[in-house]
Amino acid sequence: MSKEIIRSWEGGIIQVSVPMRPPLRQVNSYILPDRDGRVTVIDPGPHTTDAELAWAGVLETLDLTWTQVRDIVVTHHHPDHYGLAGWLQSRSGARVWMSGRAHAEAGLAWGSGAILDEALPLLFRRHGMPEEWLTGIREHLKQFLPEVTPQPEVTYLNAAEPFVMGSRKWQPIVTGGHAPGHVSFYHAGSGQILCGDAVLPQISPNVGLQPGSDPQPLQTFLEGLRELRSLTVALAFPGHREPFQAFTARADSLLRHHEERLDAAAALLADGPRSGFAVCEGLFRSRVTTAHQMRFAMSEALAHLAELVRRGRAAETEDGAGGGLLFAAVE
């Protein structure tokens, strides 16, 4: 089984498809071997029994021991990338590297002072989400804690300095929007980029408004895309789906996609003020059937509404009837 989830690429990069929950079903981890026989693991996946078994099989297939894992690098704090880092660290003794901002976001979501499971439903309620959806989202959020336990001891990356992986120097590039403090790694000599979820082929990275986090996630995401598209990329290694070329074209497609979605959100306000939930339904109704999908859809709708407000195309007002919030078009 392990041979089926391993693929080798130019430059010594080894792609590992780690199983995760639907709808994505797998996340890409990458192994970068050093000349001394030790390796760096990027985004080990969620902490599940299936992922543990997958990694045991991968190391056996590659004739590696746990202690040959020198470093574990996490591009961002989401469970499918960060979750197994503490477990892998406990077996290997490796350092876990991520940006300071990403680690702070992990604390907000999964740490001892976590606020997400309480604050997110409250935010959604103020924006008009019905209680039946809120109940499902609360239960949904609780399911992630086992996937990020144990928490790793983290060393912070310095984005101003090259980071050595696979005996090569990679330039960290910090962006946000999908996840604050997300780090991609660019190797100019080969034109390779390890881009996590900053740029994905075929699917659009979720850009969501989260309580206590970036108040303008879509603006941040679009700025990051413009920075990344300026790079000369021959091959991109994403967090999901297959490595791909045409990186600049894909970044441009995502930029257009979000401008189109902003226009669609603005059009929904043309007939009068609406709640964030009403806009969410207008944008995503046919594609939302689960609490997981609704959490992503609602956060994304609010991110686009926040950007419309920032651009002066919409205004946020209080609904005097119930203390909720509404959005109205600005002429």
Side-chain angles (χ1 to χ4, degrees):
M1 178 185 72
S2 59
K3 291 182 180 179
E4 297 172 358
I5 65 172
I6 300 172
R7 187 175 178 187
S8 296
W9 295 87
E10 185 178 350
I13 296 176
I14 301 170
Q15 176 189 357
V16 177
S17 297
V18 180
M20 61 173 287
R21 68 171 71 201
L24 292 175
R25 299 187 183 277
Q26 70 177 47
V27 59
N28 291 328
S29 181
Y30 297 98
I31 298 174
L32 278 65
D34 290 335
R35 295 190 188 95
D36 64 2
R38 302 185 74 186
V39 301
T40 297
V41 171
I42 299 173
D43 288 349
H47 189 191
T48 64
T49 300
D50 287 345
E52 288 183 14
L53 292 172
W55 273 107
V58 165
L59 293 185
E60 181 179 4
T61 299
L62 298 177
D63 196 25
L64 293 170
T65 65
W66 296 110
T67 55
Q68 285 177 271
V69 178
R70 182 202 308 275
D71 292 302
I72 302 160
V73 176
V74 179
T75 59
H76 61 294
H77 74 284
H78 292 164
D80 53 327
H81 298 257
Y82 166 80
L84 201 67
W87 179 86
L88 184 53
Q89 183 180 57
S90 70
R91 277 149 182 76
S92 64
R95 290 171 296 180
V96 172
W97 297 86
M98 62 195 303
S99 74
R101 178 62 188 274
H103 190 222
E105 292 290 322
L108 288 173
W110 328 115
S112 58
I115 64 167
L116 187 67
D117 56 349
E118 294 294 332
L120 189 63
L122 290 175
L123 175 70
F124 287 174
R125 177 185 284 121
R126 287 206 74 195
H127 286 285
M129 182 175 283
E131 191 60 40
E132 56 266 28
W133 276 117
L134 294 171
T135 299
I137 286 172
R138 288 190 193 94
E139 293 303 312
H140 166 68
L141 289 169
K142 292 177 183 177
Q143 297 173 11
F144 287 105
L145 189 56
E147 295 189 7
V148 297
T149 304
Q151 302 275 326
E153 294 291 328
V154 171
T155 304
Y156 295 153
L157 285 158
N158 181 355
E161 297 180 356
F163 189 78
V164 177
M165 302 182 292
S167 298
R168 291 193 285 169
K169 292 182 178 179
W170 299 77
Q171 182 58 51
I173 302 171
V174 179
T175 57
H178 174 71
H182 184 295
V183 184
S184 301
F185 295 89
Y186 177 61
H187 184 258
S190 64
Q192 293 177 333
I193 187 168
L194 299 150
C195 55
D197 285 358
V199 181
L200 295 174
Q202 302 168 310
I203 55 178
S204 174
N206 177 254
V207 181
L209 185 70
Q210 303 284 338
S213 187
D214 185 350
Q216 292 291 343
L218 184 56
Q219 178 190 17
T220 303
F221 185 73
L222 298 178
E223 290 173 349
L225 276 178
R226 294 185 188 103
E227 179 181 3
L228 291 167
R229 75 168 303 285
S230 70
L231 303 172
T232 301
V233 174
L235 187 61
F237 295 89
H240 303 279
R241 306 293 176 93
E242 291 303 308
F244 64 102
Q245 299 172 324
F247 182 80
T248 300
R250 179 55 183 156
D252 287 342
S253 175
L254 289 170
L255 287 166
R256 289 193 300 273
H257 163 76
H258 285 290
E259 292 300 325
E260 291 166 0
R261 181 157 287 169
L262 284 166
D263 289 341
L268 290 169
L269 303 178
D271 295 332
R274 293 192 183 214
S275 69
F277 182 74
V279 172
C280 174
E281 284 196 308
L283 292 174
F284 299 106
R285 179 180 296 138
S286 63
R287 286 171 279 175
V288 174
T289 59
T290 67
H292 175 84
Q293 292 169 335
M294 178 54 79
R295 176 171 69 90
F296 275 53
M298 184 68 172
S299 292
E300 180 129 354
L302 293 178
H304 284 76
L305 287 164
E307 178 65 3
L308 287 177
V309 171
R310 188 190 72 83
R311 295 186 184 189
R313 298 179 64 185
E316 183 180 83
T317 61
E318 287 199 11
D319 178 4
L325 298 171
L326 297 174
F327 293 90
V330 173
E331 300 297 333

